Amino acid sequence: MNFTANDEQRMIADSFARVFADAGYPSTSGNNWSALTELGLTEATFPEPRGFGASVSDMVHALIECGRAAAPEPVIGAGVLPGIALTGAGSAAPEMPEGTVCLADGEGLTLQDGALSGTLRVVPGADAAEVLLICLADDHLAVVSMAEVKRDKYRLVDGRGAADLELASVKLADGAMGGVVPGMAEWLRDVAAVAFAADALGALLALREMTQDYLKQRKQFGRPISSFQALQHAMADIYHDTEHFLSLTHFAAQTCEGTDVALRKRAVSSLKRFLGGRIRRAAASAIQLHGGIGMTEEYPLGRFVKRAVVADMLNGSADAHGARLAKLIAEETRAGLQEAPEQEKVA
């Protein structure tokens, strides 16, 4: 597979990186959402004329830059995901008002007499959004104004904003409910998992570079600790895990744009399993290699570790994805066993 960005993907990623560099990330914190919006970067995935329909694969390199900068802006929840949902829905998409949009998984909501009720937990980007786009369990997209929703805002452990939302018989306006797009809800959960994994990949790449530089600069017994064989082995494991994670992320992103649903599920669940296992251990190893300073709150290393933790916690746990992966493998095995006798008869 070729993971090199094309000219358009590189241009998007470079634009994000330039805004973050000008802001002094990751050494500082702030809010550069308006700068990203003015450049059209927050709506790249939206359909025309609002955006140009960039896919999740198109945005992987940009999301890597978000993670590398530990950017606090709600790029995924209030930019990438709602645009991908609307582009994927096509003509079945609901009418969209102006304003910042965030996407929520509406699995916990009920629709009765044209009104939505229920609670949505941990919706990334909902703290900053003016419009709520919901993917209901029956694969409809619905639009609600945030003015009609009770919102409890907070910060995730990595500093990005989110909110819990409560809808109490919120009436849907005319045109606010889109048509059915079969498989939309599950597809969007997988796309969200890939988006946050790409962000975590950027954080891991920054963490790897930071750890390598620290080992070269820190000295014990008159020589850099990077010369110690045990630390070299630990660093090699981090490098290997990061490269493996990079391959899984790009592959999962590409399967999200294909028609093979089983392949997409397998790729995304494999990605989430690796994130919740090897990547979390790699992040812990980087903290250990830094020694005491790696445990301090003001040291930038923690910001990158927390990005990986958030990506692991959202969009299904590693155990849940492991169960889905096991189910897929079992189904494929049963199908193979059923085909074997037919092949023997033909032979």
Side-chain angles (χ1 to χ4, degrees):
M1 294 178 65
N2 182 11
F3 302 143
T4 305
N6 60 35
D7 291 342
E8 187 176 75
Q9 294 166 353
R10 189 72 266 157
M11 179 186 67
I12 299 171
D14 287 346
S15 297
F16 272 97
R18 205 158 37 243
V19 172
F20 297 148
D22 291 343
Y25 296 165
S27 299
T28 62
S29 60
N31 190 339
N32 286 272
W33 183 254
S34 59
L36 295 171
T37 302
E38 287 172 8
L39 293 172
L41 299 176
T42 60
E43 297 184 345
T45 58
F46 282 70
E48 295 181 349
R50 193 161 177 172
F52 55 91
S55 66
V56 64
S57 286
D58 292 329
M59 297 303 295
V60 164
H61 296 279
L63 292 173
I64 288 173
E65 296 300 333
C66 293
R68 195 190 294 273
E73 290 80 14
V75 173
I76 298 176
V80 172
L81 293 182
I84 286 177
L86 292 169
T87 299
S91 60
E95 296 178 9
M96 290 299 299
E98 293 296 320
T100 301
V101 187
C102 76
L103 177 70
D105 184 345
E107 188 174 15
L109 299 183
T110 58
L111 177 62
Q112 187 173 5
D113 298 328
L116 286 170
S117 298
T119 302
L120 302 172
R121 302 289 184 190
V122 194
V123 182
D127 61 313
E130 300 158 298
V131 180
L132 177 63
L133 177 65
I134 307 168
C135 184
L136 300 174
D138 60 359
D139 298 323
H140 284 89
L141 288 177
V143 180
V144 173
S145 170
M146 276 293 187
E148 302 180 67
V149 178
K150 184 179 179 181
R151 179 165 42 174
D152 180 17
K153 303 179 184 180
Y154 51 84
R155 293 283 167 186
L156 298 173
V157 67
D158 64 357
R160 282 178 289 186
D164 293 339
L165 308 175
E166 185 177 338
L167 287 76
S169 298
V170 176
K171 281 284 186 182
L172 295 176
D174 292 340
M177 173 75 83
V180 175
V181 182
M184 169 70 80
E186 192 168 34
W187 174 67
L188 282 176
R189 291 188 201 107
D190 285 344
V191 169
V194 172
F196 278 97
D199 180 274
L201 172 59
L204 262 292
L205 291 171
L207 176 147
R208 186 178 73 183
E209 294 167 6
M210 190 175 181
T211 305
Q212 195 167 19
D213 290 342
Y214 178 81
L215 295 181
K216 290 177 180 178
Q217 295 168 10
R218 182 78 164 87
K219 291 185 178 181
Q220 283 186 353
F221 309 110
R223 58 194 177 112
I225 60 175
S226 60
S227 63
F228 300 161
Q229 191 175 55
L231 302 190
Q232 290 175 358
H233 289 172
M235 196 65 221
D237 287 341
I238 293 175
Y239 191 94
H240 174 269
D241 289 341
T242 306
E243 291 300 303
H244 192 168
F245 189 47
L246 182 149
S247 300
L248 288 172
T249 301
H250 280 281
F251 180 63
Q254 292 181 17
T255 62
C256 285
E257 294 162 25
T259 57
D260 192 331
V261 176
L263 179 62
R264 184 198 79 217
K265 291 180 179 179
R266 191 163 184 162
V268 173
S269 289
S270 297
L271 173 67
K272 284 287 288 181
R273 284 287 292 172
F274 196 81
L275 173 59
R278 295 294 294 270
I279 293 304
R280 287 195 67 151
R281 285 196 292 273
S285 178
I287 293 175
Q288 186 177 28
L289 289 172
H290 277 79
I293 194 173
M295 299 293 292
T296 58
E297 181 66 28
E298 62 272 14
Y299 194 57
L301 181 76
R303 300 179 191 176
F304 302 125
V305 174
K306 290 171 183 176
R307 303 287 280 211
V309 170
V310 168
D312 175 37
M313 294 173 65
L314 296 177
N315 307 299
S317 66
D319 288 342
H321 279 276
R324 185 172 81 161
L325 196 56
K327 183 180 178 182
L328 287 168
I329 293 172
E331 290 173 352
E332 291 172 5
T333 302
R334 281 194 294 269
L337 291 173
Q338 290 171 358
E339 291 176 3
E342 296 297 326
Q343 293 174 352
E344 290 176 3
K345 289 178 184 178
V346 172

